[in-house]
Amino acid sequence: KQKMLKGKLVELREWRVDDIQHIPRIANNPKVVKYLRNRFPHPYTEKDAKSWVEFCAVANKDNILSLAIANSETGSLMGGISVERHSDVYCKTMEVGYWLGEEFWGKGVITEALSLFISHVFSQYKDIVRLEAGVVTENLGSVRALQRAGFISEGIIRQSFSKKEKVYDTYSLSLLREEYFKSKIKKRKK
């Protein structure tokens, strides 16, 4: 059983059956889905939520880990965060993704969630050397959250993200295992 990861603002935990009724209320917002992949449904129904929670319960944890982001005091659902392993010659890389209900934006929730999650991912997946994220260049809040978590911008991937007939550039950001642990050692020495 996955243990809960707890911070001051958030706890990261496995998805639960009782989340099914709450996911659509938070996720069914055009602003929330604007920069998410098309596999994240919109409109987001209770049936979609049930499918997601069931998928997460049986997903191969070697390749995918998805946790709910919840309020650390009340336990109420705020969003989700995940990693997915790449394949073939990229198998030592995992892509980080997340979403958050609009009412929780700008409050440090994703920054703390990323911090807890990255630590967990690097401790659980010893073979992973690189975490990466692709973020639409207009989504500056997400870019800043990743940078606060230690991700480095590697450049802009031009016209790489297409959603609702609009094509966007994306930032490619990454965090290497060695960089992460070096920064943790520096913080301890201060």
Side-chain angles (χ1 to χ4, degrees):
K1 190 79 179 153
Q2 180 84 32
K3 74 173 191 164
M4 182 173 52
L5 306 168
K6 194 162 184 149
K8 291 178 183 174
L9 300 172
V10 303
E11 64 184 28
L12 305 181
R13 58 167 172 74
E14 287 186 338
W15 291 97
R16 303 187 301 226
V17 171
D18 64 329
D19 291 326
I20 292 170
Q21 63 185 321
H22 301 290
I23 296 171
R25 179 184 58 78
I26 301 165
N28 203 15
N29 176 334
K31 291 180 183 176
V32 170
V33 300
K34 183 176 183 179
Y35 300 125
L36 297 179
R37 292 187 180 189
N38 289 331
R39 68 182 179 189
F40 192 96
H42 186 74
Y44 204 113
T45 66
E46 202 164 297
K47 183 180 176 188
D48 295 320
K50 184 177 187 292
S51 295
W52 177 248
V53 170
E54 289 171 352
F55 168 78
C56 290
V58 299
N60 179 344
K61 299 292 190 267
D62 289 338
N63 295 322
I64 294 175
L65 175 64
S66 179
L67 300 177
I69 301 171
N71 182 296
S72 63
E73 291 180 17
T74 67
S76 61
L77 185 66
M78 302 165 85
I81 191 165
S82 63
V83 286
E84 186 171 349
R85 183 186 295 270
H86 289 308
S87 61
D88 200 9
V89 296
Y90 302 105
C91 65
K92 296 194 179 300
T93 298
M94 291 183 117
E95 182 176 6
V96 176
Y98 46 84
W99 65 274
L100 192 65
E102 184 181 7
E103 63 266 38
F104 310 112
W105 294 1
K107 298 178 179 169
V109 170
I110 282 297
T111 299
E112 185 176 83
L114 278 166
S115 177
L116 291 168
F117 195 60
I118 290 164
S119 177
H120 179 72
V121 169
F122 277 139
S123 69
Q124 293 299 307
Y125 298 90
K126 303 284 189 209
D127 65 320
I128 292 299
V129 297
R130 173 187 167 88
L131 297 178
E132 65 182 25
V135 182
V136 172
T137 54
E138 294 177 11
N139 191 354
L140 294 177
S142 190
V143 171
R144 284 191 295 270
L146 286 160
Q147 289 172 333
R148 283 192 293 272
F151 280 69
I152 305 293
S153 179
E154 297 181 320
I156 294 175
I157 313 300
R158 298 180 304 149
Q159 297 186 7
S160 56
F161 185 98
S162 173
K163 184 123 180 188
K164 293 193 175 192
E165 307 303 318
K166 187 164 182 194
V167 179
Y168 300 88
D169 294 344
T170 56
Y171 286 113
S172 176
L173 297 105
S174 71
L175 177 61
L176 303 181
R177 173 184 288 276
E178 64 190 48
E179 294 168 343
Y180 175 74
F181 285 107
K182 280 181 187 173
S183 72
K184 288 203 62 102
I185 290 168
K186 282 182 186 174
K187 285 178 187 172
R188 267 191 247 131
K189 287 182 178 178
K190 286 184 179 179

